[in-house]
Amino acid sequence: MTSTTSDRNLRPDPWADDADDASQAPFKSLTREQARALVASSPQRVSPWWVVAVQAAIGVLAALLALAWGLLGTAEGLFWSALYGAAVVVLPGALMARGMTSPLSSVSPGASAASVMLWSMVKIGVSVALLMLAPKLVQPLSWPALLAAMVLCMQVYWL
């Protein structure tokens, strides 16, 4: 038995729904005043440099907390480990912020997308390299202090 389209009662576009019909309204231009009001009501963009600065401040605070915590024992190792952990987040973040705010990255949408991918790879590579160098550069190294400072600095993105 074969069925015809009238038997199945199909719509012309199976992915369309009633909300799509409302989106077919004609385009209406905004006046200059309406555009200014829209821009004024939208949330302000956060500068990537502001994020890097807050991460650095949180990293220094984490290192000072590690120093205070470690006054009972190996305070110097905890301080430098926490400070290095903050650097593992802040330095690659600063590199990415520099790359993303360059004039070349905003030439076109394609250039912006390529810039995001490129600087994300640079950020990951520098972070991994810094983590691999940590045992050689920080003596004595405290991995818990380093990782705690890294986590605190990365949580700034949530703000």
Side-chain angles (χ1 to χ4, degrees):
M1 171 176 230
T2 61
S3 65
T4 63
T5 54
S6 62
D7 293 341
R8 290 186 280 165
N9 197 10
L10 292 178
R11 296 174 65 165
D13 183 5
W15 297 102
D17 60 6
D18 293 334
D20 290 341
D21 296 335
S23 68
Q24 298 299 325
F27 180 77
K28 180 183 172 198
S29 298
L30 297 177
T31 64
R32 183 179 300 248
E33 292 77 25
Q34 290 172 328
R36 284 185 182 157
L38 181 64
V39 169
S41 68
S42 65
Q44 296 295 323
R45 291 178 40 190
V46 176
S47 167
W49 293 108
W50 184 86
V51 174
V52 170
V54 172
Q55 283 179 328
I58 297 291
V60 169
L61 285 174
L64 291 174
L65 283 173
L67 180 65
W69 179 273
L71 288 178
L72 304 173
T74 59
E76 187 176 340
L78 290 177
F79 173 77
W80 289 112
S81 296
L83 199 59
Y84 191 83
V88 168
V89 175
V90 172
L91 292 177
L95 278 174
M96 186 168 181
R98 172 64 182 101
M100 295 301 301
T101 57
S102 74
L104 291 176
S105 68
S106 61
V107 170
S108 69
S112 294
S115 180
V116 167
M117 289 189 301
L118 171 72
W119 287 106
S120 293
M121 288 187 287
V122 168
K123 181 178 176 180
I124 291 168
V126 170
S127 296
V128 169
L130 287 172
L131 284 172
M132 289 174 57
L133 290 172
K136 294 184 189 291
L137 297 176
V138 181
Q139 294 295 327
L141 178 64
S142 169
W143 282 105
L146 184 142
L147 295 174
M150 280 181 62
V151 168
L152 285 173
C153 288
M154 284 188 280
Q155 293 306 312
V156 170
Y157 291 122
W158 283 96
L159 298 177

